[in-house]
Amino acid sequence: MKINTKHMLLAAFMAFLLPCVSAQVIVVKQDGNNIYLDTSEHNRQVAVGDTFKVILSQEKLTNPKTGKELGNINHYSAEGKITEVQELYAIGQLPEKENISVGQEVVISTHALATQPQTAPVTQTALQTPKVTSNRKIYSYPVIDREIISAVKANITPAPGDEIAAIDSKGHLLLYTQDGSSLSQIADYQLPAGHKAITLSAKDIMDARFAQLFVVVYNEPKQKISTLIFKADGHKLKKIDSVPYFVKEIGCGDDKDLYAQKPFINGAKPGDARELDHEWLRFTLDDDRLPTRGNWLTGVNYHEIQNDDDDNFVYTASNGSIKIRLTNGNYAESPALFATAPNRVKYKQDIISFYPSLQVYGPDGRATLAAVENVAKMGVLSEQFGQYGSSKIHFLTYENGILDVRETIDLNGVVYDTNCTARGILVPQVLSGGQSVLTEIYR
């Protein structure tokens, strides 16, 4: 049999090329200038700030002499920008309203962002890429010359796209926008003297269309924990209220809720949590209770992990494992990795321990857990804030009755808190030398 070498090479090339071709992105809804796009089959990560064009029509290009078809000429809409990214779809905004039809194909241009520092010189540690035993995509924002202990990504101001809010170890509440390959600071609010920040959450519970910021603080003079509530007022952060609770976001994306917990110190364990609501111009607690098994809210979560019928309570146990309460009342338990080095903050005579944040996200019944493991510096578990050498993020799944670690990412810095984003989890790493890197690990 005669073998056509040319055809074999062509077939081999096409077999290599086909997996690299991006799946179609389709228009599924138009609302004025906003275009809703189905990105569920797109094989590249879509990000806020990416540009897109809708293919309005096509015409075939043919050689008039030979009749050979040369392909299609695409006629595009004006260039728009992606303003919001969800798990299976994205929202883009066109500069003006156009006659767009559901089902039309869209071309997205993904802009890779550099990771160069914005301000202070970057240490060699800051430039290292995290050691990854995972296929997850990782993006590190420019280095920040502060010790960031908690950060959130949300739609905080009326400007298109999300902003990043953060708190540092010196009591500053900061607001950043992403400007090309850099972070631009647009607001800096100094917390009152004697207030030490612990954790930060963001959610719109006032129907204001923009997320409010919830900063848990320890009032050192009064020895009390409370949560200060802020909103963006132009390029300023304005304190609008406070509640006498420890407040933390639980869940991810549209399923994210804010829970509040009556704070206990002086050796007592934290009590049950209740969802935080906003009614009649006041922040209130609803009647449903979330038992935390003596944990602060950083070490618990609530999601449909086992199946898509009932929520499962998941928490960090004192023996160092992650536990899920199953629908039959039993528990599934992970390897003991997580509570051996809890976050500890020394406030006068009290040592308050917080298990690192536990994120849960993904489809109901097929959720992924993202848990932090802190490694103590020099093998010593210190009672002082910040005495850790490095951190890891473990990704776990529950399958066939087992809660198992599937992937691990070794980080360069120390992690005190994590939060969920539309694309994954946001991890602030405190590096040696007082700098920080915000790292987004995609789902």
Side-chain angles (χ1 to χ4, degrees), residues 310-329:
D310 297 296
D311 285 325
N312 298 98
F313 177 66
V314 54
Y315 67 99
T316 308
S318 58
N319 66 350
S321 65
I322 303 294
K323 286 188 176 182
I324 297 177
R325 183 177 179 86
L326 304 176
T327 54
N328 62 5

Side-chain angles (χ1 to χ4, degrees), residues 248-252 255-259 290 297 300-302:
K248 180 66 177 171
E249 59 185 62
I250 287 182
C252 224
D255 295 328
K256 181 190 294 186
D257 291 310
L258 284 173
Y259 278 82
L290 176 65
L297 282 169
V300 304
N301 222 304
Y302 203 54

Side-chain angles (χ1 to χ4, degrees), residues 339-364:
T340 54
N343 297 337
R344 294 188 174 199
V345 185
K346 187 173 184 179
Y347 294 126
K348 293 193 174 182
Q349 304 304 314
D350 298 313
I351 304 298
I352 303 178
S353 298
F354 302 92
Y355 294 138
S357 294
L358 180 62
Q359 303 300 334
V360 186
Y361 57 83
D364 296 344

